[in-house]
Amino acid sequence: MPKTLRNAFEKALTYENLMKAHLKCQRGKTARANVIKFNLKKEEYISWLYDSIKSKTYEHSGYTTFYVTEPKLRQIQASSYKDRIVHRWCVDNFLDKTFTPCFIENSYACIKGKGMHKAALDVQKGMKECKKKYGEYYILKMDVAKYFPSIDRQILMKIIKRKIKDKDVLWILEKIIYYKGMGKGLPIGNLTSQILANVYLNEVDQYIKHNLRIRYYYRYMDDSVILLKDKKDLKNVKENIEKFLDEKLKLKFNSKTNIFKSKQGVNFCGYMINEYRMKLRNKGKKRLKHKVKDLKLKIKKGEISSIQAKRYLCGYFGYMKYANVYNLRQKIFKNET
């Protein structure tokens, strides 16, 4: 277990570290207008950013709001480029090294070497073990209602202060977290929001693993799964978790939270999973079919090349890699005209 973070701010606040943060932020985005503009005078901008943090005059610029529709309608709040550099600097120098080692093994979101595919495969592995040990068992699928907008910032800061004792680090984190006052919600899309959302739900992770002593528990951000032999015991577990979420974190489950028989499988990380098969969810298949049809039409019109089309589908190929999709591949890529 890592020690509390002390006396880290001054060591981390260097021109070189801020430049490293910039170089990481611009990966894959060097053609964007805001990045091009920053790079024209990057030495000056980094020096200004260093001075503003050093003198405690730095202020967060707020966010530009837009919406995405896949996989579902979400409001995204994009920070300015200079703020993204500060976010990256905070994550690399303070948040990641302090909190990531504290996370349980079966927490998967936004953690290097893990991710949604490993989460799905580990759930399937746990299901196989339960099938072998118990025969029939039960699955609790949990989903937090409106997770990012529901995070209480004051509770989050109290959690952070248990591990971070450096007052200057706390100052910069408060500038980011309290960007709209002391209320609720973290912006979806920020690098800091991703790790802080994990920090927040790590509280319930620790409760489930150490107080409830649940072995087969898996979480990918606000979606989680528990496997247990007895349905009555699982109902009690669900009630205890609901109480903990409400009293300690001011969160609630949404209507999709339910208990299922093992033979029904579980929807998790974009897959329909049982002990022996992992299928794409119907929504995922529908999006893939629509995307392929749209790309084929654009190829026929000469708007894009087949090589460009394959690049657009890279994410889907990674998604399909872990699923049983032979028939789907044949239908979409061979037979469709």
Side-chain angles (χ1 to χ4, degrees):
M1 185 69 70
K3 297 178 180 179
T4 54
L5 189 72
R6 302 176 190 272
N7 305 317
F9 188 84
E10 290 295 332
K11 294 177 183 177
L13 182 56
T14 65
Y15 176 93
E16 290 75 17
N17 281 344
L18 289 169
M19 183 62 77
K20 285 179 184 177
H22 157 59
L23 295 175
K24 285 187 177 181
C25 285
Q26 72 168 358
R27 287 176 186 169
K29 303 179 180 70
T30 52
R32 294 186 181 181
N34 59 346
V35 179
I36 292 172
K37 182 179 178 181
F38 191 93
N39 276 325
L40 290 174
K41 295 183 178 181
K42 62 183 179 182
E43 290 84 4
E44 293 177 38
Y45 285 132
I46 293 294
S47 293
W48 172 84
L49 203 52
Y50 170 84
D51 290 338
S52 67
I53 296 173
K54 181 77 173 177
S55 63
K56 301 290 198 305
T57 58
Y58 168 80
E59 294 290 340
H60 200 278
S61 302
Y63 297 89
T64 301
T65 301
F66 61 96
Y67 291 86
V68 296
T69 56
E70 291 189 8
K72 62 182 179 181
L73 182 65
R74 290 181 184 272
Q75 183 189 75
I76 305 297
Q77 293 174 294
S79 56
S80 68
Y81 187 71
K82 63 100 172 171
D83 289 328
R84 273 180 262 165
I85 293 172
V86 176
H87 295 173
R88 167 57 74 177
W89 176 71
C90 286
V91 169
D92 287 351
N93 291 280
F94 312 127
L95 294 174
D96 188 34
K97 64 175 63 175
T98 303
F99 290 103
T100 301
C102 301
F103 296 157
I104 65 169
E105 183 180 354
N106 291 353
S107 175
Y108 298 90
C110 310
I111 299 173
K112 188 176 181 180
K114 294 189 176 181
M116 62 185 296
H117 298 136
K118 179 168 174 51
L121 291 169
D122 282 359
V123 166
Q124 187 180 55
K125 180 182 177 183
M127 293 172 78
K128 288 179 181 178
E129 290 180 8
C130 288
K131 182 71 174 179
K132 186 176 180 180
K133 288 200 300 188
Y134 310 130
E136 296 300 318
Y137 59 95
Y138 290 86
I139 303 166
L140 172 58
K141 173 65 168 60
M142 298 173 286
D143 193 348
V144 176
K146 298 179 181 178
Y147 178 49
F148 277 82
S150 300
I151 293 172
D152 187 290
R153 296 175 200 154
Q154 288 176 278
I155 294 175
L156 175 61
M157 279 306 305
K158 287 179 182 178
I159 295 169
I160 290 170
K161 286 177 180 178
R162 296 205 303 256
K163 295 296 296 179
I164 296 179
K165 303 300 182 181
D166 188 316
K167 60 181 176 53
D168 294 321
V169 175
L170 291 174
W171 166 78
I172 194 74
L173 292 177
E174 286 174 346
K175 288 292 181 183
I176 296 169
I177 292 169
Y178 292 142
Y179 70 104
K180 284 186 179 178
M182 310 286 281
K184 287 191 173 186
L186 293 180
I188 297 174
N190 272 2
L191 183 63
T192 47
S193 294
Q194 293 169 8
I195 189 167
L196 290 174
N198 267 339
V199 169
Y200 202 70
L201 278 185
N202 182 57
E203 297 295 295
V204 75
D205 292 346
Q206 300 297 332
Y207 172 72
I208 291 170
K209 295 297 286 187
H210 300 296
N211 293 73
L212 301 182
R213 302 182 71 82
I214 301 297
R215 178 177 179 181
Y216 297 106
Y217 168 66
Y218 312 85
R219 180 175 67 80
Y220 186 90
M221 199 50 75
D222 57 319
D223 288 349
S224 51
V225 170
I226 287 177
L227 312 175
L228 209 60
K229 179 182 179 181
D230 186 79
K231 186 176 183 180
K232 184 178 178 180
D233 289 344
L234 197 51
K235 283 183 178 180
N236 289 333
V237 166
K238 178 176 176 288
E239 289 172 3
N240 285 328
I241 296 171
E242 282 181 311
K243 184 178 179 182
F244 183 92
L245 286 173
D246 181 45
E247 293 180 354
K248 303 296 185 181
L249 301 176
K250 296 184 181 178
L251 299 174
K252 295 185 181 299
F253 286 139
N254 68 16
S255 58
K256 292 185 287 186
T257 297
N258 214 335
I259 294 174
F260 303 92
K261 293 180 179 179
S262 58
K263 64 182 180 182
Q264 293 175 267
V266 62
N267 279 321
F268 188 60
C269 288
Y271 299 98
M272 184 63 196
I273 308 170
N274 64 28
E275 295 93 352
Y276 307 107
R277 291 182 65 82
M278 194 181 297
K279 299 180 180 179
L280 303 189
R281 294 177 62 186
N282 289 334
K283 287 183 180 179
K285 287 190 284 187
K286 187 176 180 180
R287 285 197 298 269
L288 176 58
K289 289 176 181 178
H290 177 79
K291 188 69 174 179
V292 170
K293 187 175 181 180
D294 181 58
L295 289 172
K296 284 184 176 182
L297 185 60
K298 287 182 177 180
I299 291 171
K300 285 181 181 179
K301 290 181 178 180
E303 295 177 5
I304 61 172
S305 68
S306 58
I307 294 175
Q308 287 174 313
K310 287 181 180 178
R311 288 174 184 163
Y312 284 118
L313 291 171
C314 281
Y316 287 100
F317 291 146
Y319 176 41
M320 296 168 67
K321 178 181 177 181
Y322 297 90
N324 304 104
V325 291
Y326 177 80
N327 290 337
L328 181 64
R329 280 182 180 272
Q330 293 296 110
K331 183 176 181 180
I332 295 177
F333 298 107
K334 299 294 183 182
N335 301 331
E336 189 175 304
T337 59

